[in-house]
């Protein structure tokens, strides 16, 4: 019997920043890639053709994760489980709500941040783990976290809470998967500070509403931000490490 050699990766938030860079690099490596984002990227389609890789792009707002979860369950159930050497879910999508104290936050803004950043990863992870439970492929679940899940910051209560929640639900899932004969390898990974739209959003905040404004401005002027491409390489290198999943909550800079 020929051993499966193809790799299937599911990636959210692939339309910009580090997510887009990861998508490019995964396609270059020949992965079959399912991207789930609010918009499709023609450049990704072209890159997939040039790389002779298979790409699917689903356009979906992750704030509506229940509908997406049902669609993903159906799609995974239709796949040939024996065709893959590995199957991976990367929960990368997230949003930064308006930068202000919680006392000034709007209900809809908070709800969106929590749905996209925490509810969607939990629902998609549940579907992924359930649908692939009997697959012979190596299974990995990578949640893209943040140092702000481990260090509090004023004016960013929702984002910090989302990432702290992501870290802790990953710890729980790691315990659950460890009890299974062929459980998935699970990790919530902080990717370091990256020069993305989110960083620009923080730098553009009013200093009066964001006490840490000066620190974030200094990261940019001091050249301390990784490019999305470099951050993507480091995250994917961590994902490929043989010890991936031994620490359910980790940082890309961990040795």
């Amino acid at each position: 019997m020929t051993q499966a050699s193809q790799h299937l990766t599911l990636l959210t938030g692939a339309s910009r920043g580090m997510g887009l860079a990861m998508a490019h690099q995964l396609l270059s490596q020949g992965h079959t890639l399912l991207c789930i984002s609010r918009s499709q990227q023609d450049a990704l389609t072209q890159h997939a053709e040039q790389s002779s890789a298979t790409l699917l792009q689903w356009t979906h707002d992750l704030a509506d994760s229940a509908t997406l979860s049902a669609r993903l369950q159906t799609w995974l159930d239709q796949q040939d489980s024996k065709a893959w050497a590995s199957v991976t879910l990367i929960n990368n999508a997230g949003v930064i709500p308006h930068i202000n104290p919680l006392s000034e936050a709007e209900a809809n803004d908070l709800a969106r941040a929590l749905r996209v950043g925490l509810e969607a990863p939990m629902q998609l992870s549940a579907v992924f783990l359930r649908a692939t439970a009997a697959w012979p492929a190596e299974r990995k679940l990578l949640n893209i976290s943040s140092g702000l899940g481990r260090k509090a910051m004023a004016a960013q209560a929702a984002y910090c809470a989302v990432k702290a929640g992501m870290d802790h639900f990953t710890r729980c899932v790691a315990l659950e998967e460890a009890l299974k004969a062929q459980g998935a390898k699970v990790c919530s990974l902080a990717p370091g500070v990256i020069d993305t739209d989110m960083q620009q959003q923080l730098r553009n905040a009013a200093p009066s509403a964001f006490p840490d404004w000066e620190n974030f401005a200094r990261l940019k002027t001091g050249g301390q931000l990784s490019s999305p491409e470099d951050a993507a390489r480091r995250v994917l290198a961590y994902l490929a490490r043989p010890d991936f999943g031994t620490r359910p909550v980790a940082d890309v800079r961990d040795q």
Side-chain angles (χ1 to χ4, degrees):
M1 181 181 294
T2 303
Q3 187 175 4
S5 59
Q6 298 299 307
H7 302 280
L8 173 62
T9 302
L10 321 177
L11 172 64
T12 68
S15 61
R16 60 182 181 175
M18 188 180 73
L20 180 59
M22 283 195 289
H24 273 279
Q25 292 172 28
L26 287 165
L27 290 170
S28 294
Q29 295 170 18
H31 285 236
T32 293
L33 184 61
L34 168 59
C35 293
I36 306 171
S37 308
R38 293 189 69 186
S39 61
Q40 293 193 11
Q41 296 296 314
D42 292 339
L44 270 186
T45 301
Q46 296 171 5
H47 186 64
E49 293 173 352
Q50 294 168 358
S51 303
S52 299
T54 300
L55 170 68
L56 296 88
Q57 295 193 70
W58 289 2
T59 303
H60 198 97
D61 185 348
L62 269 76
D64 177 20
S65 54
T67 302
L68 175 60
S69 296
R71 182 183 182 186
L72 182 61
Q73 178 79 56
T74 299
W75 187 82
L76 286 170
D77 287 345
Q78 294 170 347
Q79 303 309 303
D80 179 3
S81 63
K82 296 182 176 61
W84 308 104
S86 73
V87 56
T88 302
L89 170 62
I90 304 176
N91 285 309
N92 169 70
V95 296
I96 288 186
H98 289 109
I99 301 167
N100 50 30
L102 185 63
S103 59
E104 299 175 14
E106 297 179 0
N108 289 340
D109 197 36
L110 288 175
R112 177 169 181 77
L114 293 168
R115 286 173 181 158
V116 172
L118 187 55
E119 181 179 301
M122 292 190 74
Q123 291 197 6
L124 295 178
S125 296
V127 167
F128 172 78
L129 294 169
R130 179 170 59 250
T132 64
W135 290 24
E138 180 180 42
R139 298 182 300 137
K140 295 181 180 181
L141 170 60
L142 172 59
N143 291 323
I144 302 300
S145 184
S146 169
L148 292 184
R150 303 155 201 182
K151 177 183 178 181
M153 178 175 290
Q156 276 298 288
Y159 189 79
C160 290
V162 160
K163 294 305 184 181
M166 174 174 275
D167 284 352
H168 211 47
F169 101 71
T170 304
R171 292 185 181 99
C172 296
V173 173
L175 292 173
E176 295 165 358
E177 292 300 303
L179 298 174
K180 302 175 182 178
Q182 293 182 320
K185 298 178 179 179
V186 181
C187 181
S188 183
L189 185 68
V193 286
I194 310 167
D195 196 1
T196 62
D197 291 345
M198 285 189 177
Q199 283 284 331
Q200 184 175 355
Q201 186 177 345
L202 292 168
R203 293 193 301 271
N204 289 343
S208 59
F210 186 34
D212 286 276
W213 177 86
E214 186 175 351
N215 293 334
F216 279 85
R218 192 181 299 118
L219 288 173
K220 178 68 172 179
T221 58
Q224 299 178 56
L225 298 175
S226 300
S227 69
E229 293 74 21
D230 183 56
R233 279 190 291 271
R234 296 174 73 182
V235 166
L236 294 179
Y238 193 98
L239 178 64
R241 284 169 47 159
D243 64 345
F244 177 85
T246 56
R247 283 177 284 191
V249 175
D251 190 290
V252 76
R253 294 160 287 194
D254 291 342
Q255 299 298 316

